[in-house]
Short mmCIF file of all heavy atoms in Angstrom, two decimals:
data_model
loop_
_atom_site.label_atom_id
_atom_site.label_comp_id
_atom_site.label_asym_id
_atom_site.label_seq_id
_atom_site.Cartn_x
_atom_site.Cartn_y
_atom_site.Cartn_z
N GLU H 1 -69.86 43.85 7.48
CA GLU H 1 -69.44 42.59 6.95
C GLU H 1 -69.28 41.53 8.00
O GLU H 1 -68.93 41.83 9.21
CB GLU H 1 -68.12 42.71 6.24
CG GLU H 1 -68.05 43.69 5.08
CD GLU H 1 -66.65 43.85 4.45
OE1 GLU H 1 -65.94 42.96 4.42
OE2 GLU H 1 -66.27 45.05 4.08
N TYR H 2 -69.64 40.31 7.65
CA TYR H 2 -69.63 39.21 8.69
C TYR H 2 -68.56 38.08 8.09
O TYR H 2 -68.98 37.22 7.59
CB TYR H 2 -71.01 38.53 8.82
CG TYR H 2 -71.86 39.27 9.78
CD1 TYR H 2 -72.46 40.50 9.37
CD2 TYR H 2 -72.24 38.77 10.96
CE1 TYR H 2 -73.23 41.10 10.26
CE2 TYR H 2 -73.16 39.40 11.82
CZ TYR H 2 -73.70 40.66 11.40
OH TYR H 2 -74.53 41.35 12.31
N PRO H 3 -67.29 38.33 8.24
CA PRO H 3 -66.26 37.48 7.63
C PRO H 3 -66.30 35.99 8.35
O PRO H 3 -65.96 35.06 7.72
CB PRO H 3 -64.90 38.15 8.01
CG PRO H 3 -65.21 39.09 9.18
CD PRO H 3 -66.69 39.56 8.96
N ASP H 4 -66.79 35.93 9.49
CA ASP H 4 -66.83 34.61 10.19
C ASP H 4 -68.08 33.83 9.99
O ASP H 4 -68.23 32.67 10.41
CB ASP H 4 -66.53 34.77 11.79
CG ASP H 4 -65.32 35.46 12.04
OD1 ASP H 4 -64.34 35.29 11.17
OD2 ASP H 4 -65.10 35.93 13.12
N ASN H 5 -69.14 34.38 9.36
CA ASN H 5 -70.42 33.80 9.25
C ASN H 5 -70.95 33.75 7.82
O ASN H 5 -72.07 33.86 7.54
CB ASN H 5 -71.43 34.49 10.07
CG ASN H 5 -70.92 34.49 11.60
OD1 ASN H 5 -70.41 35.48 12.06
ND2 ASN H 5 -71.30 33.54 12.41
N GLY H 6 -70.03 33.54 6.96
CA GLY H 6 -70.42 33.38 5.51
C GLY H 6 -69.90 34.63 4.61
O GLY H 6 -70.18 34.55 3.40
N ASP H 7 -69.22 35.58 5.21
CA ASP H 7 -68.59 36.63 4.52
C ASP H 7 -69.61 37.45 3.61
O ASP H 7 -69.27 37.83 2.49
CB ASP H 7 -67.49 36.05 3.55
CG ASP H 7 -66.41 37.20 3.25
OD1 ASP H 7 -66.36 38.11 3.95
OD2 ASP H 7 -65.67 36.94 2.29
N PHE H 8 -70.72 37.73 4.17
CA PHE H 8 -71.65 38.58 3.52
C PHE H 8 -71.60 39.99 3.95
O PHE H 8 -71.01 40.21 5.02
CB PHE H 8 -73.18 38.05 3.57
CG PHE H 8 -73.70 37.89 5.07
CD1 PHE H 8 -74.25 38.93 5.61
CD2 PHE H 8 -73.46 36.65 5.67
CE1 PHE H 8 -74.73 38.74 6.98
CE2 PHE H 8 -73.88 36.49 6.96
CZ PHE H 8 -74.49 37.57 7.72
N SER H 9 -72.18 40.97 3.29
CA SER H 9 -72.14 42.31 3.80
C SER H 9 -73.49 42.96 3.35
O SER H 9 -74.20 42.55 2.61
CB SER H 9 -70.98 43.11 3.06
OG SER H 9 -71.10 43.17 1.65
N PHE H 10 -73.66 44.09 4.02
CA PHE H 10 -74.93 44.87 3.75
C PHE H 10 -74.83 46.30 4.32
O PHE H 10 -73.91 46.61 5.03
CB PHE H 10 -76.22 44.22 4.38
CG PHE H 10 -76.10 44.07 5.97
CD1 PHE H 10 -76.44 45.09 6.78
CD2 PHE H 10 -75.68 42.95 6.52
CE1 PHE H 10 -76.34 45.08 8.18
CE2 PHE H 10 -75.54 42.76 7.85
CZ PHE H 10 -75.89 43.78 8.74
N ASP H 11 -75.62 47.22 3.74
CA ASP H 11 -75.60 48.65 4.15
C ASP H 11 -76.63 48.82 5.02
O ASP H 11 -77.77 48.10 5.17
CB ASP H 11 -75.84 49.45 2.92
CG ASP H 11 -74.80 49.33 1.82
OD1 ASP H 11 -73.60 49.10 2.14
OD2 ASP H 11 -75.07 49.29 0.66
N SER H 12 -76.52 49.79 5.95
CA SER H 12 -77.46 50.08 7.00
C SER H 12 -77.76 51.62 7.01
O SER H 12 -76.83 52.37 7.31
CB SER H 12 -76.95 49.66 8.36
OG SER H 12 -77.84 49.94 9.43
N LEU H 13 -79.04 51.96 6.63
CA LEU H 13 -79.31 53.33 6.39
C LEU H 13 -80.47 53.76 7.37
O LEU H 13 -81.38 52.87 7.74
CB LEU H 13 -79.84 53.60 5.03
CG LEU H 13 -78.73 53.35 3.99
CD1 LEU H 13 -78.87 52.05 3.25
CD2 LEU H 13 -78.65 54.58 2.99
N MET H 14 -80.45 54.98 7.77
CA MET H 14 -81.55 55.51 8.72
C MET H 14 -82.88 55.38 8.06
O MET H 14 -83.00 55.69 6.85
CB MET H 14 -81.30 56.93 9.07
CG MET H 14 -82.14 57.32 10.13
SD MET H 14 -81.93 59.29 10.39
CE MET H 14 -82.82 59.92 9.02
N VAL H 15 -83.96 55.03 8.76
CA VAL H 15 -85.34 54.92 8.36
C VAL H 15 -85.84 56.31 8.41
O VAL H 15 -85.83 57.01 9.47
CB VAL H 15 -86.11 53.98 9.24
CG1 VAL H 15 -87.58 54.06 8.78
CG2 VAL H 15 -85.65 52.54 9.16
N PRO H 16 -86.36 56.96 7.24
CA PRO H 16 -86.95 58.31 7.31
C PRO H 16 -88.05 58.31 8.25
O PRO H 16 -88.77 57.34 8.52
CB PRO H 16 -87.45 58.40 5.88
CG PRO H 16 -86.56 57.51 5.03
CD PRO H 16 -86.40 56.30 5.91
N THR H 17 -88.38 59.61 8.82
CA THR H 17 -89.43 59.71 9.73
C THR H 17 -90.71 59.12 9.32
O THR H 17 -91.53 58.60 10.03
CB THR H 17 -89.46 61.23 10.18
OG1 THR H 17 -88.24 61.64 10.67
CG2 THR H 17 -90.50 61.36 11.29
N GLU H 18 -91.09 59.62 8.06
CA GLU H 18 -92.45 59.11 7.58
C GLU H 18 -92.55 57.61 7.47
O GLU H 18 -93.75 57.10 7.33
CB GLU H 18 -92.77 59.79 6.30
CG GLU H 18 -91.75 59.50 5.12
CD GLU H 18 -90.53 60.37 5.12
OE1 GLU H 18 -90.25 61.10 6.11
OE2 GLU H 18 -89.73 60.28 4.07
N ASP H 19 -91.52 56.89 7.42
CA ASP H 19 -91.59 55.41 7.29
C ASP H 19 -91.35 54.64 8.60
O ASP H 19 -91.31 53.42 8.65
CB ASP H 19 -90.42 54.90 6.21
CG ASP H 19 -90.70 55.48 4.92
OD1 ASP H 19 -91.85 55.81 4.54
OD2 ASP H 19 -89.79 55.59 4.10
N LEU H 20 -91.20 55.34 9.73
CA LEU H 20 -91.06 54.77 11.04
C LEU H 20 -92.20 53.88 11.43
O LEU H 20 -93.45 54.21 11.25
CB LEU H 20 -90.78 55.74 12.15
CG LEU H 20 -89.46 56.55 12.10
CD1 LEU H 20 -89.37 57.56 13.12
CD2 LEU H 20 -88.28 55.40 12.23
N LYS H 21 -91.91 52.68 11.98
CA LYS H 21 -92.93 51.91 12.66
C LYS H 21 -93.08 52.42 14.08
O LYS H 21 -92.34 53.16 14.54
CB LYS H 21 -92.46 50.40 12.61
CG LYS H 21 -92.33 49.89 11.16
CD LYS H 21 -91.89 48.37 11.17
CE LYS H 21 -91.67 47.90 9.84
NZ LYS H 21 -91.14 46.53 9.81
N PRO H 22 -94.20 52.01 14.68
CA PRO H 22 -94.57 52.46 16.07
C PRO H 22 -93.44 52.21 17.09
O PRO H 22 -93.15 53.07 17.97
CB PRO H 22 -95.85 51.80 16.45
CG PRO H 22 -96.46 51.42 15.18
CD PRO H 22 -95.37 51.17 14.21
N ASP H 23 -92.67 51.09 16.92
CA ASP H 23 -91.61 50.72 18.04
C ASP H 23 -90.23 51.31 17.56
O ASP H 23 -89.26 50.92 18.23
CB ASP H 23 -91.58 49.29 18.30
CG ASP H 23 -91.25 48.55 16.90
OD1 ASP H 23 -91.54 49.11 15.93
OD2 ASP H 23 -90.87 47.31 17.08
N GLN H 24 -90.14 52.05 16.51
CA GLN H 24 -88.84 52.50 16.02
C GLN H 24 -88.61 53.99 16.48
O GLN H 24 -89.41 54.79 16.19
CB GLN H 24 -88.73 52.33 14.50
CG GLN H 24 -88.66 50.92 13.88
CD GLN H 24 -88.56 50.90 12.41
OE1 GLN H 24 -89.21 51.70 11.69
NE2 GLN H 24 -87.65 49.97 11.98
N PRO H 25 -87.37 54.19 17.07
CA PRO H 25 -87.05 55.55 17.51
C PRO H 25 -86.66 56.40 16.34
O PRO H 25 -85.96 56.02 15.34
CB PRO H 25 -85.94 55.35 18.50
CG PRO H 25 -85.27 54.06 18.03
CD PRO H 25 -86.47 53.21 17.48
N ARG H 26 -87.10 57.64 16.26
CA ARG H 26 -86.67 58.55 15.23
C ARG H 26 -85.16 58.93 15.39
O ARG H 26 -84.63 59.03 16.38
CB ARG H 26 -87.51 59.90 15.50
CG ARG H 26 -87.17 61.04 14.50
CD ARG H 26 -88.04 62.23 14.69
NE ARG H 26 -87.65 63.34 13.83
CZ ARG H 26 -86.74 64.31 14.12
NH1 ARG H 26 -86.29 64.24 15.35
NH2 ARG H 26 -86.50 65.27 13.36
N LEU H 27 -84.63 58.94 14.10
CA LEU H 27 -83.16 59.16 13.88
C LEU H 27 -82.26 58.18 14.45
O LEU H 27 -81.02 58.31 14.28
CB LEU H 27 -82.77 60.55 14.67
CG LEU H 27 -83.44 61.83 14.01
CD1 LEU H 27 -82.94 63.08 14.74
CD2 LEU H 27 -83.26 62.02 12.61
N LEU H 28 -82.80 57.05 14.84
CA LEU H 28 -81.96 55.95 15.36
C LEU H 28 -82.31 54.63 14.60
O LEU H 28 -81.38 53.74 14.54
CB LEU H 28 -82.18 55.82 16.80
CG LEU H 28 -81.58 56.81 17.79
CD1 LEU H 28 -81.99 56.50 19.22
CD2 LEU H 28 -80.11 57.00 17.65
N ALA H 29 -83.45 54.42 14.20
CA ALA H 29 -83.94 53.18 13.45
C ALA H 29 -83.17 53.07 12.13
O ALA H 29 -83.06 54.10 11.43
CB ALA H 29 -85.37 53.15 13.38
N VAL H 30 -82.85 51.92 11.75
CA VAL H 30 -82.29 51.55 10.40
C VAL H 30 -82.88 50.53 9.73
O VAL H 30 -83.75 49.74 10.30
CB VAL H 30 -80.74 51.21 10.74
CG1 VAL H 30 -79.90 52.33 11.36
CG2 VAL H 30 -80.55 50.04 11.39
N ASP H 31 -82.71 50.44 8.40
CA ASP H 31 -83.43 49.43 7.61
C ASP H 31 -82.82 48.08 7.78
O ASP H 31 -83.51 47.07 7.89
CB ASP H 31 -83.33 49.75 6.11
CG ASP H 31 -81.95 50.02 5.57
OD1 ASP H 31 -81.00 50.03 6.36
OD2 ASP H 31 -81.79 50.19 4.34
N ASN H 32 -81.41 47.97 8.05
CA ASN H 32 -80.84 46.59 8.26
C ASN H 32 -79.95 46.72 9.59
O ASN H 32 -78.98 47.46 9.62
CB ASN H 32 -79.94 46.19 7.08
CG ASN H 32 -80.70 45.94 5.89
OD1 ASN H 32 -81.71 45.24 5.79
ND2 ASN H 32 -80.34 46.54 4.77
N GLU H 33 -80.45 46.05 10.58
CA GLU H 33 -79.72 46.08 11.88
C GLU H 33 -78.57 45.10 11.88
O GLU H 33 -78.64 44.03 11.22
CB GLU H 33 -80.72 45.80 12.98
CG GLU H 33 -81.78 46.78 13.09
CD GLU H 33 -82.93 46.32 14.03
OE1 GLU H 33 -83.02 45.02 14.34
OE2 GLU H 33 -83.74 47.03 14.46
N VAL H 34 -77.56 45.42 12.69
CA VAL H 34 -76.56 44.38 12.97
C VAL H 34 -77.19 43.46 14.03
O VAL H 34 -77.72 43.85 14.96
CB VAL H 34 -75.33 45.15 13.54
CG1 VAL H 34 -74.31 44.03 13.97
CG2 VAL H 34 -74.66 46.04 12.65
N VAL H 35 -76.99 42.15 13.73
CA VAL H 35 -77.58 41.12 14.60
C VAL H 35 -76.25 40.29 15.24
O VAL H 35 -75.45 39.87 14.42
CB VAL H 35 -78.48 40.24 13.89
CG1 VAL H 35 -79.04 39.16 14.70
CG2 VAL H 35 -79.63 41.04 13.23
N VAL H 36 -76.28 40.15 16.45
CA VAL H 36 -75.28 39.39 17.16
C VAL H 36 -75.99 38.53 18.18
O VAL H 36 -77.06 38.75 18.68
CB VAL H 36 -74.30 40.27 17.82
CG1 VAL H 36 -73.57 41.19 16.77
CG2 VAL H 36 -74.92 41.20 18.87
N PRO H 37 -75.26 37.34 18.65
CA PRO H 37 -75.91 36.44 19.59
C PRO H 37 -75.53 37.08 20.95
O PRO H 37 -74.48 37.72 21.24
CB PRO H 37 -75.16 35.23 19.32
CG PRO H 37 -73.83 35.56 18.81
CD PRO H 37 -74.06 36.91 17.92
N VAL H 38 -76.38 36.75 21.98
CA VAL H 38 -76.20 37.25 23.41
C VAL H 38 -75.14 36.44 24.01
O VAL H 38 -74.88 35.24 23.74
CB VAL H 38 -77.47 37.06 24.17
CG1 VAL H 38 -77.80 35.61 24.36
CG2 VAL H 38 -77.48 37.79 25.41
N ASN H 39 -74.29 37.07 24.97
CA ASN H 39 -73.37 36.54 25.73
C ASN H 39 -72.14 36.07 24.92
O ASN H 39 -71.33 35.29 25.45
CB ASN H 39 -73.83 35.39 26.59
CG ASN H 39 -74.73 35.90 27.64
OD1 ASN H 39 -74.49 36.96 28.22
ND2 ASN H 39 -75.87 35.18 27.98
N LYS H 40 -71.95 36.37 23.66
CA LYS H 40 -70.75 36.13 22.93
C LYS H 40 -69.93 37.33 22.68
O LYS H 40 -70.34 38.53 22.67
CB LYS H 40 -71.22 35.71 21.52
CG LYS H 40 -72.03 34.35 21.55
CD LYS H 40 -71.18 33.09 21.98
CE LYS H 40 -72.05 31.88 21.93
NZ LYS H 40 -71.19 30.80 22.49
#
């Protein structure tokens, strides 16, 4: 949840091995990443 940036929320689930993109690590990549600004 992002209470300070519009109070929206989302789920983040692991990407199955067969759906991985070339730059995504196995067992670590997710469908929805948490996004934050640098140096904050």
Side-chain angles (χ1 to χ4, degrees):
E1 301 174 35
Y2 280 70
D4 297 338
N5 302 94
D7 203 19
F8 58 88
S9 63
F10 57 87
D11 302 320
S12 180
L13 297 101
M14 188 189 77
V15 176
T17 301
E18 60 272 16
D19 296 334
L20 287 174
K21 297 178 181 178
D23 61 339
Q24 290 182 317
R26 178 176 174 271
L27 298 181
L28 292 175
V30 299
D31 57 351
N32 293 311
E33 300 167 339
V34 177
V35 180
V36 299
V38 69
N39 291 322
K40 295 296 183 180

